[in-house]
């Protein structure tokens, strides 16, 4: 009897879970339909659909002959704000009428990422879009997979530094390119900014080990500390209890006057602020973080927090657009260069509100027309790079005409 | 003599049903899971390339969970196996720069050594195996992070050329044959099972308990070495987190496969095979069926509970832990 | 009889897999009665006790308690209804104190406003222990620190505290030393005087006749008959149990020490010392049964284990006649020494493993082809041969041992060692908790082995058995050997007891 | 009656016991002081190490009951995170009371669900733990999407100043009484010792195990309040990431149950505190903080190896030996 109840309960649970999921995809499908209708009203609707079905009969036609696409998207998780934002960025290209599938390859492990790419390819993705968060050493394998299965791949928040790997991907016709904010520079800028505010002795909190983005930021920050003749006192690595780690550090190294978290502001900066307060050094120790958090508005206002770099949602977005252009036979980046995108630097609560409203709100920061226009055949890579570099909260607001 | 033979035959069929319910139910769960995903993925799950993917993604788990049977049969767990896989891969990667031919033996040796240390802590210092292995996990993870310098390390290109699926398949088959025969057809396996039921009675029946505990951990160590080496070839790089999920996955796979976490009479290699297949099909089926995104883990959890409850649809033993 | 019986059992049946444990058994126990329950191993007497005490559920039949319908879901419900049982196996929790053990499940009594008064609990436990005549057990002590026998007494105290209307004693006396048995007998008397009832399950016929007012005899799960006190006669009971005549003398037929034979030594122990043993030397000889007797805490059980190299900190040496030193159990088994522990269930058997695996475990080397490969057919052949030879009652050799009755379990243990071609047998209480039928066959087997020239050491607390079976008898006291007797028809129990106490 | 006099402990042996109990953390702290007297010689620093151990202590206590009945449950972290998210959400609507009730009620609920799954599925607690952990983690992620998981600073008071001591002392009294002076405590220790016998004595094992989950949930609720108030934020975790929250407290419990000279409830405190100090020692030596778990691991092996091998009597290796609890 109990077994029966449990089975029923579980079946209800799974149905609930599936239903929950399917309603979501229904919603998005409806959205897609709506956008289709919108584009229909702009051009001649029925024709578009027919030509879409015909697919790529002749390539040198007009916009309307674009192939339907499916982007497979591999992320490390959706629990942190950055992960949440980037998986949202994936859905922006849905506005162009394609399909998006997001796979969460958990645990920051290299094998999980390879398996994730395999599964995405198997599930029919035409393009795979990912960040080589487990380090660039994974790229050759994925490059090989993509070439074998004739699937385009693009990487965001990723820099290829090893020349051997660079050579390998460049020779792969299905490689589209990479987009990056310049993690090294961001780390460097953070330290520079804090140094201007009077920071001399630094503590860096690493949020992950073996994650390329994190390492680049740390390298940048360390370089800046070195160049400016400051002291890097201690590096805290992936603390389970951040507050305790920072407290211990501050007691042990009383000279420390700046704490730099190179990622996960919410996870590391807020507890650091608590720690600074609990050892009685509120106001004496500067803090800075990466990635936006819910509390940073209040913390910036109170002066507990000096600087946050983040909002790097569009690296993913531009990467996707780049891949689409290649898939449609007119690559915007034929030389597979790295597309640079600026970081958003946040100093006031209002900036954050605007970010939440305009960038990651209900409406994408770029309309479908803008997206198509940015990769249209009359644009060159330099134009595209220019559009990317213009990205800022103000830019989004101005394009909305508000 | 005829009568005896008849009796044995009749008994075999009878005992197949009576005493193997715990192994048949998980198979049913696996079949249901495959059917479920075959339908929801519109047949994609059963395509050849998809089956190849399942093989590619599932072999490390198959390797570790088969070896995990050795440890779990005695009622112990090896919490360090996942970290050991990554550590062996890193060592192999380093050795490969020196000599590609030595990489494979180096991985096996490293794994075996780690297993040996685990078992020595348990057998001679009498530290509960759970704690000993947990501590070993921390140590190996830190060592691996230090060796890889916190980032990933690419293997030499010559080594990558060895990643012919056929080589891997042959290695895997040899491994499976050896490990299954040792467990089911030799003294070692039967004595390990006996230890899981009663250490005291086993010792009094001439089982060298200490030696066998050591053997069981060395086997998981060697398996970690093999899995580490093959994973290194597959992903082409060593990384601090490589294989780290295999500990939990192995335990889950064995329980899904119908084995008791306390080991003993329920121990069987078929549990490892069924269990690791269920886990791999689950992981890849969810993506193929388009159930990706946030609900992915939720669905995994729910399906996990369903499969567990199906595989425990037997006379519920009071062996709660 | 006009009185309603305390418990009435009607047509109870129970199956375990393919084995019919009970077939339509009925029984009535009235207040002020001690009902004996006797039968061979596997006759279903313990099963019946477990059904009444709620540990098992009957497949068919009904029970009436005080004339009302009674079908306990579990032992908790049973004890709520005033039915308590002391079982054969160990029933205390080692990691908690004696006091907590005695009142386990009854702690509510000491709770006031949610808080449990530990002091009160311990005081009450102490006075309860005093009341039943136990003076040397402290309630604050961890049960872990007590001996096996003392733990049994704690169990008795716990059962007695509940002042049950129906008290079921299942083969408890086997585990108790003489002192403990007397405590139990006096308790049974007290319960009887209070107008309550006892069901006394035993295999010891003399004890049964002494304690019980009535006896119900079971055979192969079926009710045979009920005897009144006046009708009780050991040989009648035996024949009813077994279903045939059993000679009163079921030990050996010869009665003199045969000194014409050359006894060659098989196992030689020199100066053995542990914390329980003091400088013990002995020799086990081929073709001879050596009896070792003493009080249960005299160290003789430890001596048995010491002889197979079980203790790492053993001083002195144990060597086989061929000179091989027995340094650990592994060597012992390789040298064809068999050891049967007193604690059969936890030390001699793999309970949840099959009969097959139990029998084959020490013999795996010899079953292997090419030195490592064991085929299923060789396993089955060996196991079914030996289980048939010893007549183990089971549905199949894949059946888990834990489904078997006590006597059949012991047969599996012996089959294991006979199958391993053992030459030296060290048997610690081989007939403990075993009924006459199987006992007799074990005795026959021992004589057979002796005649084949095997060496046998029989450790036992039962003097009659030791006198009846041994060629030589060693007595032990406080870890030391005190005397050696040779087989002699005139040997009296009292002669031996002198050297034990 | 003369026999009714129970043994009493002399004052001297009582003092000896206290010293023995506190020996480990005191020695460890001495190492810290010797490293740098001017930094850790201050009383404030000493108090700081105690404060830092509070969260792990509360989690440790909540797991102690489960471990006593051999329930190893790694879902604690996921429950803590989910309850924390709910608590923070309620704090934004109903203030401090919302935080407390939100955390505790939801944690009790989550504990009960876990207990229910355990008792219905009848699979080992480790497996039940993994199953619900997958679900709770992803619920946390989904939930955190549509809400702000920050707690405003005026609601952090519970982890500040004297409040934290009041909370922890109340918790200690509650746990101590539950573990040592209630029917519940006695019965779970009986189950932990020998489940089969306990059942046959009329202890309702299934019900008690379920209650252990509920009580565990209740205590996790308070641990959650401390966790949230301490860090000022709570972040969802996925991919089994929440499991690591349970590791340090488990180490503390294991260490605590080894200390024979005191009650397990006090032992868990001593264990958690010792591990906290080890963490501080790491920083004081300037070692990489990733080595902390390594040092704790090696330390645990040394302490255990010493404790377990003190009596050199040969005892065959017992695999399923239960953790001994002092009564």
């Amino acid at each position: 009897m109990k077994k029966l109840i449990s089975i029923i309960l579980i079946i209800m649970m799974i149905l609930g879970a599936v239903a929950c999921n399917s309603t979501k995809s229904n919603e998005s499908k409806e959205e897609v339909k709506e956008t289709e209708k919108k584009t229909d009203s702009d051009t001649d609707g029925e024709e578009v659909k027919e030509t879409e079905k015909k697919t790529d009969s002749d390539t040198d036609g007009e916009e309307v002959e674009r192939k339907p696409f499916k982007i497979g998207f591999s992320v490390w998780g959706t629990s942190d704000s950055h992960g949440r934002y980037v998986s949202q960025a994936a859905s922006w290209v849905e506005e162009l009428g394609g399909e998006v599938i997001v796979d969460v390859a958990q645990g920051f492990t290299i094998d999980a990422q390879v398996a994730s790419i395999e599964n995405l390819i198997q599930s029919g993705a035409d393009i795979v879009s990912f960040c080589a968060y487990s380090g660039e050493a994974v790229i050759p394998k994925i490059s090989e997979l993509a070439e074998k299965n004739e699937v385009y791949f693009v990487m965001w928040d990723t820099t290829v530094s090893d020349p051997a790997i660079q050579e390998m991907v460049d020779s792969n016709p299905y490689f589209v390119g990479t987009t990056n904010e310049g993690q090294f520079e961001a780390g460097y800028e953070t330290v520079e900014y804090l140094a201007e505010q009077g920071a001399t002795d630094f503590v860096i909190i690493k949020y992950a080990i073996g994650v390329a983005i994190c390492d680049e930021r740390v390298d940048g920050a360390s370089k800046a500390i070195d160049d400016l003749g400051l002291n890097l006192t201690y590096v805290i690595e992936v603390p389970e209890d951040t507050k305790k780690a920072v407290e211990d550090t501050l007691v042990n190294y009383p000279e420390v006057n700046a704490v730099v978290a190179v990622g996960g502001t919410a996870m590391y900066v807020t507890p650091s602020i608590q720690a600074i307060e609990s050892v009685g050094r509120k106001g004496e120790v500067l803090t800075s973080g990466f990635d936006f958090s819910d509390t940073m508005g209040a913390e910036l206002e109170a002066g507990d927090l000096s600087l946050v770099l983040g909002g790097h949602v569009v690296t993913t977005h531009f990467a996707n657009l780049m891949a689409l252009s290649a898939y449609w036979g007119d690559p915007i980046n034929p030389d597979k260069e790295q597309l640079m995108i600026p970081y958003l630097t946040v100093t006031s609560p209002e900036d954050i509100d605007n970010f939440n409203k305009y960038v990651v709100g209900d409406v994408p920061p770029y309309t479908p027309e803008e997206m198509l226009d940015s990769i249209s055949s009359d644009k060159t890579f330099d134009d595209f790079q220019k559009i990317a570099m213009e990205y800022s909260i103000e830019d989004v607001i101005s394009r909305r005409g508000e | 003599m005829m009568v005896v033979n008849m009796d044995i035959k009749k008994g075999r069929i009878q005992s197949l049903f009576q005493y193997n319910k715990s192994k048949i139910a998980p198979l049913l769960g696996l079949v249901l899971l495959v059917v479920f995903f075959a339908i929801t993925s519109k047949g994609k799950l059963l395509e050849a390339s998809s089956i190849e993917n399942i093989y590619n993604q599932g072999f490390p788990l198959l390797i570790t969970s088969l070896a995990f049977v050795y440890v779990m049969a005695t009622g112990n767990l090896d919490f360090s196996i996942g970290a050991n896989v990554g550590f062996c891969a890193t060592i192999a990667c380093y050795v490969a720069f020196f000599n590609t031919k030595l990489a494979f033996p180096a991985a096996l040796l490293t794994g075996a050594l780690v297993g040996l240390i685990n078992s020595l802590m348990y057998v001679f210092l009498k530290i509960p195996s759970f704690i000993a292995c947990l501590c070993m996990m921390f140590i190996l993870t830190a060592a691996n992070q230090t060796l890889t310098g916190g980032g990933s390390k690419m293997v030499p290109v010559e080594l990558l050329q060895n990643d012919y699926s056929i080589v891997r398949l042959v290695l895997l088959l040899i491994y499976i044959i050896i490990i299954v025969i040792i467990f089911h057809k030799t003294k070692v396996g039967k004595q390990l099972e006996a230890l899981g039921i009663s250490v005291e009675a086993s010792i009094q029946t001439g089982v060298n308990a200490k030696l066998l505990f050591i053997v069981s951990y060395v086997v998981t160590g060697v398996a970690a070495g093999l899995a580490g080496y093959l994973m290194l070839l597959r992903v082409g790089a060593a990384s601090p987190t490589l294989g780290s999920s295999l500990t939990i996955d192995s335990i889950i796979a064995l329980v899904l496969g119908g084995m008791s976490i306390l080991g003993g009479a329920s121990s069987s290699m078929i549990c490892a095979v069924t269990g690791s297949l269920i886990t791999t099909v689950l992981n890849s089926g969810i993506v193929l069926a388009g159930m990706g995104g946030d609900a992915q883990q939720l669905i995994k959890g729910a399906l996990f509970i369903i499969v567990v409850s199906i595989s425990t649809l037997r006379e519920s033993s009071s062996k709660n832990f | 009889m006009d009185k309603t019986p305390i418990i009435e059992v009607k047509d109870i049946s129970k199956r375990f897999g393919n084995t019919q444990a009970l077939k339509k058994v009925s029984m009535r126990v009235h207040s002020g009665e001690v009902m004996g329950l006797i039968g061979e191993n596997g006759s279903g007497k313990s099963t019946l006790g477990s059904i009444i005490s709620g540990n098992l559920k009957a497949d068919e039949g009904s029970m009436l308690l005080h004339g009302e319908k009674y079908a306990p879901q579990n032992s908790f419900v049973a004890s709520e209804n005033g039915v308590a049982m002391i079982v054969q196996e160990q029933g205390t929790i080692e990691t908690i104190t004696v006091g907590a053990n005695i009142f386990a499940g009854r702690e509510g009594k000491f709770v006031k406003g949610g808080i449990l008064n530990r002091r009160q609990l311990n005081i009450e436990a102490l006075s309860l222990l005093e009341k039943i005549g136990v003076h040397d057990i402290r309630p604050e002590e961890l049960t872990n620190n007590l001996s096996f026998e003392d733990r049994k007494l704690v169990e008795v105290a716990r059962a007695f505290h509940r002042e049950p209307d129906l008290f079921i004693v299942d083969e408890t006396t086997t585990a108790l030393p003489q002192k403990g048995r007397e405590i139990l007998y006096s308790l049974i008397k007290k319960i009887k005087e209070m107008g309550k009832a006892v069901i006394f399950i035993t295999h010891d016929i003399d004890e049964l006749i002494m304690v019980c007012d009535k006896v119900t005899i079971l055979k192969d799960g079926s009710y045979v008959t009920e005897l009144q006190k006046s009708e009780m006669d050991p040989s009648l009971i035996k024949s009813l149990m077994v279903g045939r005549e059993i000679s009163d003398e079921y030990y050996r037929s010869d009665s003199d020490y045969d000194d014409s034979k050359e006894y060659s030594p098989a196992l030689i122990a020199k100066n053995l010392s542990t914390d329980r043993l003091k400088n013990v030397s002995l020799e086990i000889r081929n073709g001879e049964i050596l009896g070792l007797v003493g009080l249960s805490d005299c160290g003789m059980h430890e001596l048995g284990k010491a002889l197979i190299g079980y203790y790492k900190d053993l001083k002195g040496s144990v060597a086989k006649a061929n000179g091989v030193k027995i340094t650990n159990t592994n060597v012992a088994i390789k040298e064809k020494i068999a050891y049967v522990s007193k604690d059969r269930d936890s030390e001699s058997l793999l309970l949840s493993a099959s009969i097959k695996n139990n029998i084959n475990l020490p013999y795996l080397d010899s079953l292997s082809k090419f030195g490592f490969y064991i085929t299923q057919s060789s396993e089955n052949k060996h196991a079914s041969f030996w289980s048939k030879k010893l007549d183990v009652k089971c549905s199949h050799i894949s059946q888990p041992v834990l489904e078997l009755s006590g006597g059949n379990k012991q047969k599996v243990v012996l089959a294991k060692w006979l199958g391993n071609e053992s030459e030296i047998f060290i048997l610690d209480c081989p007939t403990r908790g075993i009924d006459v039928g199987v006992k007799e066959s074990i005795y026959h087997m021992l004589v057979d082995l002796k005649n084949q020239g095997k060496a046998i050491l029989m450790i036992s607390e039962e003097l009659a058995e030791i006198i009846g079976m041994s060629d030589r008898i060693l007595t032990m006291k406080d870890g030391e050997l005190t005397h050696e007797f040779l087989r002699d028809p005139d040997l009296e129990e009292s002669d031996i007891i002198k050297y034990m106490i | 009656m003369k026999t009714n006099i129970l043994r009493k402990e002399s004052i001297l042996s009582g003092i000896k016991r206290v010293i023995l109990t506190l020996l480990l953390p005191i020695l460890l702290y001495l190492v810290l002081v010797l490293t740098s007297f001017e930094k850790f010689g201050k009383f404030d620093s000493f108090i700081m190490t105690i404060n830092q151990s509070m969260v792990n202590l509360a989690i440790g206590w909540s797991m102690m009951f489960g471990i006593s009945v051999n329930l190893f449950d790694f879902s604690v972290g996921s429950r803590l995170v989910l309850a924390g998210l709910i608590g923070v959400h309620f704090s934004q609507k109903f203030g401090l009371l919302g935080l407390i009730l939100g955390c505790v009620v939801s944690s009790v609920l989550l504990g009960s669900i876990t207990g229910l799954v355990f008792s219905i599925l009848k699979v080992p607690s480790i497996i039940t733990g993994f199953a619900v952990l997958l679900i709770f983690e992803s619920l946390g992620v989904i939930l955190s999407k549509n809400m702000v998981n920050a707690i405003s600073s005026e609601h952090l008071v519970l982890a500040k100043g004297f409040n934290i001591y009041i909370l922890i002392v109340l918790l200690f009294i509650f746990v101590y009484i539950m573990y040592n002076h209630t029917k519940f405590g006695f019965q779970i220790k009986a189950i932990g010792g020998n489940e089969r016998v306990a059942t046959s004595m009329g202890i309702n094992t299934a019900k008690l195990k379920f209650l252990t989950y509920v009580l565990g949930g209740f205590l996790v609720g308070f641990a959650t309040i401390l966790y949230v108030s301490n860090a000022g934020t709570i972040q969802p975790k996925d991919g089994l990431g929440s499991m690591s929250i349970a590791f340090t407290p488990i180490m503390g419990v294991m260490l605590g149950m080894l200390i024979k000279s005191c009650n397990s409830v006090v032992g868990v405190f001593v264990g958690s505190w010792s591990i906290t100090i080890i963490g501080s020692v790491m920083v004081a030596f300037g070692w990489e903080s990733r080595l902390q778990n390594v040092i704790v691991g090696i330390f645990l092996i040394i302490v255990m190896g010493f404790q377990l091998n003190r009596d050199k009597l040969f005892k065959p290796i017992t695999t399923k030996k239960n953790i001994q609890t002092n009564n």
Side-chain angles (χ1 to χ4, degrees), chain B residues 127-157:
Chain B
I127 293 165
S129 59
F130 172 71
I131 300 291
C133 292
L134 209 60
C135 295
M136 181 55 89
M137 178 189 91
F138 289 138
I139 293 167
L140 290 179
T141 308
N144 199 9
Q145 284 168 354
T146 311
L147 279 177
T148 50
S152 50
K153 190 170 169 64
M154 222 179 109
V155 297
V157 187

Side-chain angles (χ1 to χ4, degrees), chain B residues 122 125-126 196 294 297 321, chain D residues 70 125 137 145 308 319-320:
Chain B
Y122 169 54
L125 291 180
K126 290 171 206 147
D294 302 322
Q297 197 179 333
F321 183 80
Chain D
N70 296 330
S125 57
E137 272 189 355
K145 275 211 158 148
L308 296 171
T319 39
K320 284 161 214 165

